[in-house]
Amino acid sequence: MRVPLSWLREYVDLPATETGRDVQAKLISAGLEVETVEHLGADLKGPLVVGQVLTIEELEGFKKPIRFCTVNVGQANGTGEPQEIVCGARNFAVGDKVVVVLPGATLPGGFSISARKTYGKTSHGMICSSDELGMGDDGTHGIIVLPPETEVGKDAIELLELVDEVLDIAVTANRGDCLSIRGVARETAIAYGLPLRDPALLDVPGPNAYGYPVKIADPTGCDRFTARTVTGLSAEARSPIWLQRRLQKVGMRPISLAVDVTNYVMMELGQPLHAYDRSLVQGTIGVRRAQEGEKIVTLDGTERKLHAEDLVITDDRGPIGLAGVMGGANTEIADHDAAENGGNATSDVVIEAAHFDQVSIARTARRHKLSSEASRRFERGVDPQAAAAAAQRTVDLLVLLAGGTAEAGVTEISAPSAPHTISVPADHPDKVAGVEYGRETVVRRLQEVGCDVYGQDELIVTVPSWRPDLDDINDLAEEVIRLEGYENLPSTLPRPPAGRGLTSRQRLHRRVGRALAGAGYVEALNYPFVGEQVFDQLGLDADDPARRVVRLVNPLSDEEPALRTSLLPGLLAALRRNDGRGAHDLALFETGLVFHPRDEQRVAADLPVDRRPSEDDLAALSAALPDQPRHVAVVLAGAREQAGWWGKGRPADWADAVESARTVAREARAELGVRKGQYGPWHPGRCAELFVTVDGEERVVGHAGELHPRVLKTLGLPARTCAMELDLDALERVGDDIPQAPGISTFPVATQDVALVVDAFVPASEVEAALREGAGELLESIRLFDVYDNAEQLGEGRKSLAYALRFRAKDRTLTVDEASAARDAAVALAGERVGAVLRS
């Protein structure tokens, strides 16, 4: 919300010495986020005056139209003689009043003006446009043409209010009252301890039977509707300079008098309004929900298909506006430009000032991707009691500026409602802030924001209509605390309770992250949202459980309306994005939650706020949530080891993905099995299935390997991209959370190598498991260091696996016979389990 300081001073008698920076500091202390203070005209220097065009000579022989003008600027040039000026604009004529900058002046941006020769003539100054003066868009994109009654030679800096300070306030979603000059003025008055001249305090006539007919079919969506009629608007009437300038300063573009007046009142009072051309409205104005499939062309010229939940304004033909969002083109106000083009300028208008349901307007605006100044205010809360005053203010301005006549009829329809009251202990703000304010301070501060307060120890507080965000006792406590000053709250360091630290799940999460980072991976944090088309891109089967997703009611993006069931879509998108920006050697990892819907859908109950929820309450809430296991995933592409003077590098391959899974398993202190597998996005010949043993049964917890070429092509990924994904929670359940210190023996190790020949289809992991079990307790470690297949030497369909076995005893030096016996026992069990024979 942009707030000109000059407009603010109209309602609060700020000291003349107060600057925008001073007001900014006060409002920030009161809890408003004033981001910047813009100094309009700070580098503007006159003379800048009003002139009248006397003659225009068209200069020939140039690529663009050029005009040589003489302009009467009165005595502003010191001689009284006409000023000769060269200008390229075409939107003014002889006799028009324009803004002239004379030699010696400086325009915004440090642009100095002097007499100079151009296009064969000497130009003594400039005829100015709004952009050149830093005024913003006035809709003409040309020279400023002033009203005919403007005095020649008058100071244009004062006339156009070019010097001002504008506060830019980031209004939070709960403070809709501050999306108006009235609301900010109220906060300013409280901050300075000054009285407020409330612009909404107007004499408003009561409703009668002569007003324009209105019918409300949905009182829930529209609980208040005021309609007023003004007739006889002059087609020649223009918005005065002061009104245009105020709209420009708050960031709006002047359009036409009737529209400008409604926008001005909206910015002043915070109540959105709409003006209908009365001659184009047919019959009764109504408010109802749209019928599915109805269409409307809004003021931006777009045809919109309406949803059954959209709240619309109608006449006898159908919808004429999206309630609280944007009006329809079929009742649009026509200005004098339309009349000049052969149409009829609007002379009679019906003014709408209504109050609509916040949620309904917010959903309509998002559904149609149509955010407007009106919808922004209704979404955040509008004062329902201000509708009649806003309508009256609009009527008064149209009568004053357009020569209109206010009809006696007043329509006002409102649903019965009681003021919102809250019972709060007088010392509640003290308990919340840890500061003793006292009852008098609490009452005074609540009254300053507009509350009616009664009672002694227990206060009965009636909330003002313009503060719908004050809903419970903590909101009232916040008002007291912020007005007393957040900076006055004492700081106390919290004392952490003893005996509480990270959970085992948190510790594992951190260990895994450190281990993968130490292995050269970079953590990438991705959004947990996916589109269901990604499952087709990953090549998942139609009945794959990962296709069952939890869909969001109100997603951030319509293209990603579901919660992820895998970490790979986000990680692969990050890899593709980095590869496209020139980083081709990539190793990324992520740990995070995935989401699976439960078989039984439950509705979460509201938790109590007056006490801590019980264990049963929390259990019921957890049961209503989707299953959310924590996964870990990695993706690799490009070089895994760089080439250099030390030797050749090597590309990342499927074995690196498998090793990342083993790294995670070591941190979880879990036994992870690896065997050949086939699943979804992985290459069927280069995919490892990862499993653990739970209660004697094997359970698949993830996959690792090289991705399928078809998936790489579909997703636009580098060739030979590899990936791994693992259920980290499943590893935690089978792992040992108790840290185990490594046993360091003082006795030497005995190494025995063994090469076994097995069938080609036998997994190396099964051979290793048999060797490990057969070797017994003396085996310290086992490592596969060679794989060899040669049909001539080994036979068709056979392969050789060579292992290094390390034996060590804790209490003695092993003899050769002991080490050999352990090796022979290992080989014997491998022969029994998988048919392995020693290679000769």
Side-chain angles (χ1 to χ4, degrees), residues 494-524:
R495 295 182 178 179
R500 295 183 184 179
L502 298 178
T503 64
S504 59
R505 190 178 192 225
Q506 291 170 328
R507 288 195 297 270
L508 175 59
H509 179 207
R510 295 193 180 189
R511 288 202 307 272
V512 167
R514 285 193 294 265
L516 290 175
Y521 291 86
V522 176
E523 186 172 16

Side-chain angles (χ1 to χ4, degrees), residues 672-697:
L672 182 69
V674 180
R675 63 191 174 204
K676 182 179 178 180
Q678 182 173 345
Y679 178 68
W682 279 276
H683 191 297
R686 298 171 186 149
C687 174
E689 187 175 79
L690 310 173
F691 64 93
V692 294
T693 302
V694 183
D695 297 330
E697 295 184 3

Side-chain angles (χ1 to χ4, degrees), residues 17 39 80 121 162 188 196 211 427 593-594 644 650 749:
T17 57
H39 296 268
K121 301 285 186 178
L162 297 179
T188 306
L196 169 71
D427 62 348
L593 302 180
V594 298
R650 70 171 183 85
V749 66

Side-chain angles (χ1 to χ4, degrees), residues 373-611:
E373 291 289 346
S375 68
R376 285 183 63 222
R377 284 160 176 79
F378 279 122
E379 288 175 25
R380 288 160 175 79
V382 169
D383 181 4
Q385 303 295 333
Q392 182 63 45
R393 177 73 164 139
T394 306
V395 168
D396 293 343
L397 288 172
L398 288 176
V399 170
L400 175 66
L401 303 177
T405 301
E407 288 195 351
V410 177
T411 301
E412 186 169 334
I413 300 175
S414 60
S417 62
H420 181 45
T421 60
I422 304 171
S423 177
V424 54
D427 62 348
H428 183 68
D430 301 14
K431 295 178 180 179
V432 172
V435 176
E436 188 175 343
Y437 293 122
R439 179 188 177 280
E440 291 185 3
T441 299
V442 172
V443 172
R444 174 172 57 84
R445 288 304 190 183
L446 292 178
Q447 288 175 339
E448 285 177 346
V449 298
C451 297
D452 290 331
V453 185
Y454 301 96
Q456 293 298 319
D457 295 338
E458 190 74 16
L459 303 179
I460 306 300
V461 181
T462 302
V463 174
S465 58
W466 57 82
R467 291 298 301 275
D469 60 302
L470 301 182
D471 191 51
D472 59 31
I473 61 175
N474 291 317
D475 295 328
L476 300 179
E478 181 185 3
E479 291 300 295
V480 175
I481 296 168
R482 75 175 181 88
L483 294 178
E484 283 296 304
Y486 291 122
E487 67 276 10
N488 296 324
L489 293 176
S491 58
T492 304
L493 292 176
R495 295 182 178 179
R500 295 183 184 179
L502 298 178
T503 64
S504 59
R505 190 178 192 225
Q506 291 170 328
R507 288 195 297 270
L508 175 59
H509 179 207
R510 295 193 180 189
R511 288 202 307 272
V512 167
R514 285 193 294 265
L516 290 175
Y521 291 86
V522 176
E523 186 172 16
L525 301 178
N526 300 292
Y527 287 117
F529 311 118
V530 295
E532 295 182 60
Q533 72 280 357
V534 76
F535 302 126
D536 295 327
Q537 297 169 342
L538 292 176
L540 299 187
D541 294 336
D543 58 349
D544 195 298
R547 286 183 176 270
R548 295 184 62 237
V549 295
V550 177
R551 292 180 178 82
L552 300 172
V553 175
N554 188 20
L556 293 179
S557 170
D558 292 338
E559 296 178 357
E560 296 179 330
L563 291 172
R564 66 190 178 191
T565 57
S566 168
L567 300 182
L568 288 184
L571 268 181
L572 292 174
L575 185 140
R576 179 178 63 245
R577 184 165 54 251
N578 283 274
D579 181 71
R581 295 177 180 176
H584 303 303
D585 303 325
L586 295 162
L588 308 178
F589 85 94
E590 180 178 11
T591 57
L593 302 180
V594 298
F595 306 86
H596 299 287
R598 297 183 186 272
D599 295 332
E600 180 184 355
Q601 299 292 329
R602 300 183 183 181
V603 178
D606 293 333
L607 295 179
V609 296
D610 58 338
R611 57 180 172 81

Side-chain angles (χ1 to χ4, degrees), residues 138-139 239 244 247 252-260 263 332-333 335-337:
D138 64 354
S239 298
Q244 293 187 45
L247 288 179
M252 302 191 76
R253 179 172 64 88
I255 299 174
S256 64
L257 179 58
V259 176
D260 291 350
N263 286 337
E332 182 178 6
I333 298 292
D335 57 13
H336 57 277
D337 291 334

Side-chain angles (χ1 to χ4, degrees), residues 236-275:
E236 302 301 321
R238 307 288 191 277
S239 298
I241 293 174
W242 63 266
L243 193 149
Q244 293 187 45
R245 288 296 295 133
R246 286 191 170 178
L247 288 179
Q248 288 174 330
K249 288 176 184 179
V250 297
M252 302 191 76
R253 179 172 64 88
I255 299 174
S256 64
L257 179 58
V259 176
D260 291 350
V261 166
T262 58
N263 286 337
Y264 177 85
V265 175
M266 175 179 67
M267 303 307 295
E268 182 181 57
L269 301 182
Q271 168 66 51
L273 301 110
H274 190 72

